Coordinates of all heavy atoms in Angstrom, one line a residue:
W229 N 140.8 56.3 186.0 CA 141.3 55.1 185.2 C 142.6 55.6 184.5 O 142.9 56.8 184.2 CB 140.2 54.8 184.2 CG 139.0 54.2 184.7 CD1 138.2 54.8 185.7 CD2 138.3 53.1 184.2 NE1 137.1 54.0 185.8 CE2 137.2 53.0 185.0 CE3 138.6 52.1 183.2 CZ2 136.2 51.9 184.8 CZ3 137.7 51.1 183.0 CH2 136.5 51.0 183.8
T230 N 143.3 54.6 184.1 CA 144.4 54.8 183.2 C 143.9 54.9 181.9 O 142.8 54.4 181.5 CB 145.6 53.8 183.2 OG1 145.0 52.5 182.8 CG2 146.1 53.6 184.6
L231 N 144.6 55.6 180.9 CA 144.1 55.7 179.5 C 144.0 54.3 178.9 O 143.0 54.0 178.2 CB 145.0 56.5 178.7 CG 144.8 56.7 177.2 CD1 143.4 57.3 176.9 CD2 145.9 57.5 176.5
E232 N 145.0 53.4 179.1 CA 144.9 52.1 178.5 C 143.7 51.3 178.9 O 143.1 50.7 178.2 CB 146.2 51.3 178.9 CG 146.3 49.9 178.3 CD 147.5 49.2 178.7 OE1 148.4 49.8 179.5 OE2 147.7 48.0 178.3
A233 N 143.4 51.3 180.3 CA 142.3 50.7 180.8 C 141.0 51.2 180.2 O 140.0 50.4 179.9 CB 142.3 50.7 182.3
M234 N 140.9 52.6 180.2 CA 139.7 53.1 179.7 C 139.4 52.9 178.2 O 138.3 52.6 177.9 CB 139.7 54.7 179.9 CG 138.4 55.4 179.6 SD 137.0 55.0 180.6 CE 137.3 55.8 182.1
R235 N 140.4 52.9 177.4 CA 140.3 52.6 176.0 C 139.9 51.2 175.8 O 139.0 50.9 175.0 CB 141.6 52.8 175.2 CG 141.9 54.3 175.0 CD 143.2 54.4 174.2 NE 143.0 53.9 172.8 CZ 142.3 54.5 171.8 NH1 141.9 55.7 172.0 NH2 142.2 53.8 170.7
K236 N 140.4 50.3 176.6 CA 139.9 48.8 176.5 C 138.5 48.7 176.8 O 137.8 48.0 176.1 CB 140.8 48.0 177.3 CG 140.6 46.4 177.2 CD 141.7 45.7 177.9 CE 141.3 44.2 177.7 NZ 142.3 43.3 178.4
A237 N 138.1 49.5 177.9 CA 136.7 49.2 178.3 C 135.7 49.9 177.3 O 134.6 49.4 177.2 CB 136.5 49.9 179.8
V238 N 136.1 51.0 176.7 CA 135.2 51.7 175.8 C 135.2 51.1 174.4 O 134.2 50.8 173.9 CB 135.6 53.2 175.7 CG1 134.8 53.9 174.6 CG2 135.5 53.9 177.1
Y239 N 136.4 50.9 173.9 CA 136.5 50.6 172.5 C 136.6 49.1 172.2 O 136.3 48.6 171.1 CB 137.6 51.4 171.8 CG 137.5 52.9 171.8 CD1 138.3 53.7 172.5 CD2 136.3 53.3 171.1 CE1 138.1 55.1 172.4 CE2 136.1 54.8 171.1 CZ 137.0 55.6 171.8 OH 136.8 56.9 171.8
G240 N 137.2 48.4 173.2 CA 137.3 47.0 172.9 C 138.2 46.7 171.7 O 139.3 47.2 171.5
D241 N 137.6 46.0 170.7 CA 138.3 45.7 169.5 C 138.0 46.7 168.3 O 138.5 46.4 167.1 CB 138.0 44.2 169.0 CG 138.4 43.1 169.9 OD1 139.4 43.4 170.6 OD2 137.7 42.1 170.1
F242 N 137.3 47.7 168.6 CA 136.9 48.7 167.5 C 138.2 49.4 167.1 O 138.9 49.9 167.8 CB 136.0 49.7 168.1 CG 135.5 50.7 167.0 CD1 134.7 50.4 166.0 CD2 136.0 52.0 167.1 CE1 134.3 51.3 165.0 CE2 135.6 53.0 166.2 CZ 134.7 52.6 165.1
R243 N 138.4 49.3 165.7 CA 139.6 49.8 165.1 C 139.6 51.3 164.8 O 140.6 52.0 164.7 CB 140.0 49.0 163.9 CG 140.3 47.6 164.2 CD 140.5 46.9 162.9 NE 141.6 47.4 162.1 CZ 141.7 47.1 160.8 NH1 140.9 46.4 160.1 NH2 142.8 47.7 160.1
G244 N 138.4 51.8 164.4 CA 138.3 53.2 164.0 C 138.7 53.3 162.6 O 138.9 52.3 161.9
F245 N 139.0 54.5 162.2 CA 139.4 54.9 160.9 C 140.5 55.9 160.9 O 140.3 57.0 161.4 CB 138.3 55.4 160.0 CG 138.7 55.9 158.7 CD1 138.8 54.9 157.6 CD2 138.8 57.2 158.4 CE1 139.3 55.4 156.3 CE2 139.2 57.6 157.1 CZ 139.5 56.7 156.1
H246 N 141.7 55.5 160.4 CA 142.8 56.5 160.4 C 143.6 56.3 159.0 O 144.0 55.3 158.7 CB 143.9 56.2 161.6 CG 143.2 56.3 162.8 ND1 143.2 57.4 163.5 CD2 142.6 55.3 163.7 CE1 142.6 57.3 164.7 NE2 142.2 56.0 164.8
A247 N 143.6 57.4 158.2 CA 144.3 57.3 156.9 C 144.8 58.7 156.6 O 144.3 59.7 157.0 CB 143.1 56.9 155.9
S248 N 145.8 58.7 155.8 CA 146.5 59.9 155.4 C 147.0 59.8 153.9 O 147.0 58.6 153.4 CB 147.7 60.2 156.2 OG 148.7 59.2 156.2
G249 N 147.3 60.9 153.3 CA 147.7 60.9 151.9 C 146.7 60.4 150.9 O 147.1 59.9 149.9

Side-chain angles (χ1 to χ4, degrees):
W229 295 48
T230 65
L231 177 58
E232 181 181 2
M234 185 63 79
R235 284 186 62 82
K236 185 174 181 180
V238 173
Y239 296 116
D241 296 329
F242 181 74
R243 296 172 59 197
F245 176 79
H246 300 273
S248 61

